Amino acid sequence: MPGRGAEPDVLEEALEHLVRGIVHYPDDVQVASRSLRRGNVLEVRVHPDDLGKVIGRGGRTARALRTVIGALAGSRYVRIDLLDANEVR
């Protein structure tokens, strides 16, 4: 089906790969997917010391990650939430 975009598990793997390349503690990176009515939410959990690195100055890194994953998702809605590993949700 053209224009459908990548499957959620592919998006999770791609996002995890990108984030692991940025952080100091790659073993602490966890990406989980949840389905909502509008689409999917990808929750990225990183070591608390890495959260600023993943967000980036002025949110540039987070925006770039969202752009890449949005392009892979195609027309489907995907939201990315960045959390530190200790944050309860």
Side-chain angles (χ1 to χ4, degrees):
M1 290 184 219
R4 188 157 171 253
E7 294 299 316
D9 56 337
V10 173
L11 298 177
E12 281 180 60
E13 290 174 20
L15 184 57
E16 185 172 336
H17 179 75
L18 290 169
V19 173
R20 282 179 185 262
I22 296 170
V23 298
H24 287 300
Y25 303 97
D27 293 339
D28 289 355
V29 174
Q30 297 174 330
V31 178
S33 180
R34 287 190 333 214
S35 292
L36 300 177
R37 269 181 276 137
R38 286 183 63 197
N40 281 30
V41 175
L42 297 176
E43 284 187 357
V44 181
R45 292 185 180 274
V46 297
H47 190 280
D49 294 345
D50 284 332
L51 192 57
K53 203 162 179 55
V54 174
I55 294 171
R57 183 171 294 170
R60 285 184 188 168
T61 305
R63 195 173 317 116
L65 290 169
R66 288 181 173 116
T67 299
V68 170
I69 297 304
L72 288 174
S75 60
R76 290 181 301 127
Y77 173 80
V78 176
R79 188 177 87 201
I80 298 175
D81 290 345
L82 301 170
L83 311 164
D84 75 45
N86 300 331
E87 203 169 325
V88 178
R89 208 173 218 204

